[in-house]
Amino acid sequence: MQFDRITASLIILGLGVGLAFGSPMARGALAASESGGYAVRGLGSQHCRDLNAALQGENSEQLMAAAAIWTAGYASHFNRSTLGVYDALPILDNRVVASIAMNICGSNPDAMFEAVIAQVIASFEDGSLPEESELLQFTGADGASTWLRKEVFRKVQQRLAEEGFLPAGSADGLYGPMTRQALVAFQTQHGISETGLPDPATLITLFVVIGAEAEDDGAR
């Protein structure tokens, strides 16, 4: 899924900076104590240095499965407790989200896994949904497929239009030949596998990398 290259881009753009020092949680998260502290349980309480070491061992697959389960629970609680958010993450595969976090952990050994996941969720704000949207399966020419909510896909089309790969006003949430070609062209330009699908690597580049670059340009 080309996470190494994409994670490097996220780190360059500032994702994960300050994680070891309890950086602010994604918007809307709750804190239990008057001082703003809260107890973290389970795998989320582990520091990245320990998880990085464990990933090199013989139980790495079990660790990734546990990380995916913990990520699903954390994201579900975030959705439940955050006003105006139905689903904070455009990527539906919890193992993929956990893999992104584990890759970021590699450059943030002092951070807790919970802080990394919180930062990942915050970074996908442009792809979050305020209301429920139907799930759609997208299938590529080679038979590969991915699942996405229809409104997230419409946001994908909007971002492609903003980047000049689709005509303005063409975001309709439908996966036709024009959108497939636009995805391939976008993937080619950004060095992503040319699947023609709104796959995780493409979502990361559209919603996180490009979004952060735009904010950075606007701040100059």
Side-chain angles (χ1 to χ4, degrees), residues 15-33 35-41 44-45 70-71 73-79 81-82 85 88 111-125:
L15 180 62
V17 173
L19 289 175
F21 305 101
S23 59
M25 289 280 290
R27 59 189 174 90
L30 306 177
S33 71
S35 64
Y38 51 93
V40 179
R41 298 192 178 195
S45 67
W70 194 91
T71 297
Y74 188 93
S76 295
H77 176 71
F78 183 91
N79 293 340
S81 63
T82 306
V85 172
M112 276 201 311
F113 188 69
E114 184 267 352
V116 177
I117 288 292
Q119 199 74 10
V120 169
I121 289 176
S123 74
F124 275 109
E125 185 170 359

Side-chain angles (χ1 to χ4, degrees), residues 52-90:
N52 294 337
L55 280 175
Q56 306 306 313
E58 59 183 18
N59 295 320
S60 59
E61 283 299 313
Q62 292 91 321
L63 174 59
M64 283 306 307
I69 292 170
W70 194 91
T71 297
Y74 188 93
S76 295
H77 176 71
F78 183 91
N79 293 340
R80 179 185 178 92
S81 63
T82 306
L83 186 65
V85 172
Y86 176 78
D87 198 347
L89 289 168

Side-chain angles (χ1 to χ4, degrees), residues 143-162:
S145 65
T146 190
W147 288 85
L148 207 63
R149 295 191 182 277
K150 183 175 182 178
E151 185 60 21
V152 171
F153 185 62
R154 192 184 68 79
K155 288 189 174 192
V156 166
Q157 291 175 312
Q158 283 183 327
R159 187 57 61 87
L160 288 171
E162 291 167 4

Side-chain angles (χ1 to χ4, degrees), residues 182-207:
L183 282 166
V184 170
F186 175 83
Q187 291 163 343
T188 300
Q189 179 171 305
H190 290 274
I192 305 170
S193 294
E194 298 165 6
T195 63
L197 294 170
D199 51 30
T202 304
L203 296 179
I204 293 168
T205 307
L206 280 169
F207 292 128

